[in-house]
Amino acid sequence: QAEQDAILGIMAEQVKKNTIPCTACRYCVDHCTQGLDIPMLLNLYNEHSFTGGGFLAPMALMAVPQEKQPSACVGCRSCEKVCPQQIKISEAMSNFSEKLKG
């Protein structure tokens, strides 16, 4: 039991460090001036971060038009004003764009 508790504790810490706590409430979507599907993009960001830069997120984004990609975020922060989780969405989109380049 002690080993299991230790492993679960480590796992929980890793998830907290590498993922964004988006609940997909979609409040942000109505306030995005670019019309981005922010919860979907944050979900892909989490997948990409958690896998250490795997291929799933870049592959999924190939089906997303360029004007709806994370790089299309203009950093206006309208979405952040209504986010119940107080996620810094514009920073996440910028960070995600950079991760996808490298």
Side-chain angles (χ1 to χ4, degrees):
Q1 184 62 44
E3 281 183 30
Q4 185 177 8
D5 290 344
I7 290 170
L8 290 174
I10 292 167
M11 193 171 74
E13 284 301 312
Q14 283 298 106
V15 168
K16 274 199 280 188
K17 283 185 208 173
N18 293 325
T19 60
I20 294 174
C22 177
T23 61
C25 68
R26 303 191 64 81
Y27 295 150
C28 56
V29 175
D30 290 337
H31 290 83
C32 179
T33 59
Q34 301 305 106
L36 303 180
D37 186 348
I38 295 167
M40 181 269 298
L41 293 173
L42 292 178
N43 185 44
L44 290 174
Y45 175 93
N46 284 340
E47 186 281 327
H48 198 63
S49 294
F50 195 73
T51 60
F55 68 91
L56 291 177
M59 190 169 65
L61 285 169
M62 288 171 50
V64 176
Q66 191 65 38
E67 66 273 8
K68 300 298 180 184
Q69 301 245 348
S71 59
C73 175
V74 295
C76 68
R77 296 197 156 107
S78 292
C79 55
E80 295 174 11
K81 294 174 185 168
V82 296
C83 179
Q85 274 52 264
Q86 300 177 346
I87 297 169
K88 294 179 179 168
I89 297 166
S90 58
E91 288 178 24
M93 293 297 120
S94 176
N95 188 304
F96 194 17
S97 295
E98 289 303 313
K99 285 183 178 189
L100 291 168
K101 288 179 188 174

